[in-house]
Amino acid sequence: DGGITQSPKYLFRKEGQNVTLSCEQNLNHDAMYWYRQDPGQGLRLIYYSQIVNDFQKGDIAEGYSVSREKKESFPLTVTSAQKNPTAFYLCATTGTSGGAGDGELFFGEGSRLTVL
Amino acid sequence: SQKIEQNSEALNIQEGKTATLTCNYTNYSPAYLQWYRQDPGRGPVFLLLIRENEKEKRKERLKVTFDTTLKQSLFHITASQPADSATYLCASAGNSGYSTLTFGKGTMLLVSP
C-alpha cells in the first residue's frame, strides 16, 4: 500500500526530554514537509526538504531539528528548547517537480505529542 | 506579510443544501489556491487546485472559484450530505516560497440530516 506512515500516533513526553517523530513514505516523492497544528490554528510549517541531504527551515523551526539521509524518511526531533511542544504534528510529501505549489500534498495520519 | 484567511465560525447547513466556504488572501497574488478536507484527528486530504487563470473548477459535487479582483476563493459543495461534515482548509504559496504551502485556519462544516 503506497502512502505515508507516521509513528507513533500518540506520544507523551516529560518536560526537558527530546522526542523524535518518524515519517516514512513509499510514494517515491522528493519533497517532504513537517507541519504543526494547534487547536483553532492553521497548519504551520516547521521544516521541509526538497531533496536528500538538504532541508530548510519553515516558519516555526525554533526548537525542532530534522534530517534527510534517505529519500523515504524525514524524522522530526522536538527538542527541550521547544517551549510549547504539545500539538498535532503532520508529515506531508509532494511528487510534483514544482514543489507543493504545483500539486497536491499527501499527508500522513499525524502524531499527537503531549508534554506532561 | 501575506495572509490567507478563512471564516473561523462553523457553518451549519441542512442536508441537500449548498455549502459555501470562503478563503480570502491579502498582501500577495497567489498563482493558485488549494482546498483540503480534514476529519478530526486525521491528516488533510487534497480536494482541488485552482489556478489564477481558471476562474472556476469542478469535481463531482465540488466547485471552486477564484476571483483575483476580490482576492477570494469560494468553495461550494452542492447537495450536501452529513458525510461532508469536516473542516475545510484552503492553502496557497507559503512565506518560505513557491515550494511550500501556507494554510488558512480552516472552516468547520456541519451538515444536519
Side-chain angles (χ1 to χ4, degrees):
Chain A
D1 235 21
I4 301 164
T5 302
Q6 289 189 241
S7 63
K9 191 168 177 64
Y10 299 96
L11 185 61
F12 297 89
R13 185 194 100 176
K14 292 182 180 179
E15 280 193 30
Q17 287 182 332
N18 292 356
V19 62
T20 297
L21 308 180
S22 170
C23 178
E24 302 281 331
Q25 56 110 350
N26 60 6
L27 300 170
N28 200 33
H29 286 171
D30 286 316
M32 298 187 73
Y33 305 81
W34 274 106
Y35 284 91
R36 168 182 173 144
Q37 188 173 36
D38 296 282
Q41 298 288 323
L43 278 66
R44 291 183 291 168
L45 182 65
I46 304 172
Y47 268 99
Y48 66 103
S49 168
Q50 294 179 278
I51 198 167
V52 174
N53 291 323
D54 188 44
F55 50 82
Q56 286 78 39
K57 293 181 179 180
D59 302 319
I60 55 165
E62 185 175 352
Y64 300 96
S65 65
V66 294
S67 62
R68 187 83 187 277
E69 297 176 2
K70 299 186 299 181
K71 187 175 185 177
E72 303 79 20
S73 179
F74 190 40
L76 173 74
T77 296
V78 185
T79 74
S80 57
Q82 169 50 235
K83 298 306 178 190
N84 296 295
T86 294
F88 188 50
Y89 290 88
L90 288 159
C91 176
T93 71
T94 187
T96 54
S97 58
D102 218 12
E104 64 180 289
L105 283 184
F106 294 82
F107 283 88
E109 287 300 304
S111 293
R112 188 168 298 279
L113 172 64
T114 302
V115 174
L116 304 172
Chain B
S1 61
Q2 58 194 44
K3 289 184 180 179
I4 188 164
E5 295 175 311
Q6 297 181 256
N7 190 346
S8 59
E9 291 185 15
L11 178 63
N12 289 275
I13 64 168
Q14 274 199 308
E15 183 174 9
K17 302 292 185 183
T18 295
T20 298
L21 307 176
T22 304
C23 177
N24 295 296
Y25 56 90
T26 55
N27 298 329
Y28 74 119
S29 299
Y32 60 87
L33 285 164
Q34 298 188 20
W35 284 89
Y36 290 78
R37 168 185 172 139
Q38 186 176 24
D39 292 287
R42 308 289 298 272
V45 175
F46 173 82
L47 297 174
L48 284 167
L49 180 152
I50 184 167
R51 301 188 189 281
E52 60 178 342
N53 61 352
E54 292 184 311
K55 302 305 179 193
E56 178 181 301
K57 203 158 192 177
R58 292 175 185 262
K59 179 183 177 182
E60 298 172 352
R61 294 185 295 113
L62 309 181
K63 184 179 85 171
V64 174
T65 62
F66 195 163
D67 189 326
T68 56
T69 301
L70 294 178
K71 292 185 177 294
Q72 181 180 85
S73 175
L74 298 179
F75 176 82
H76 306 273
I77 305 176
T78 59
S80 59
Q81 304 164 1
D84 294 326
S85 298
T87 296
Y88 292 85
L89 308 170
C90 70
S92 189
N95 290 322
S96 299
Y98 182 70
S99 60
T100 67
L101 286 183
T102 291
F103 286 81
K105 294 182 180 180
T107 299
M108 182 182 294
L109 172 66
L110 300 170
V111 182
S112 305

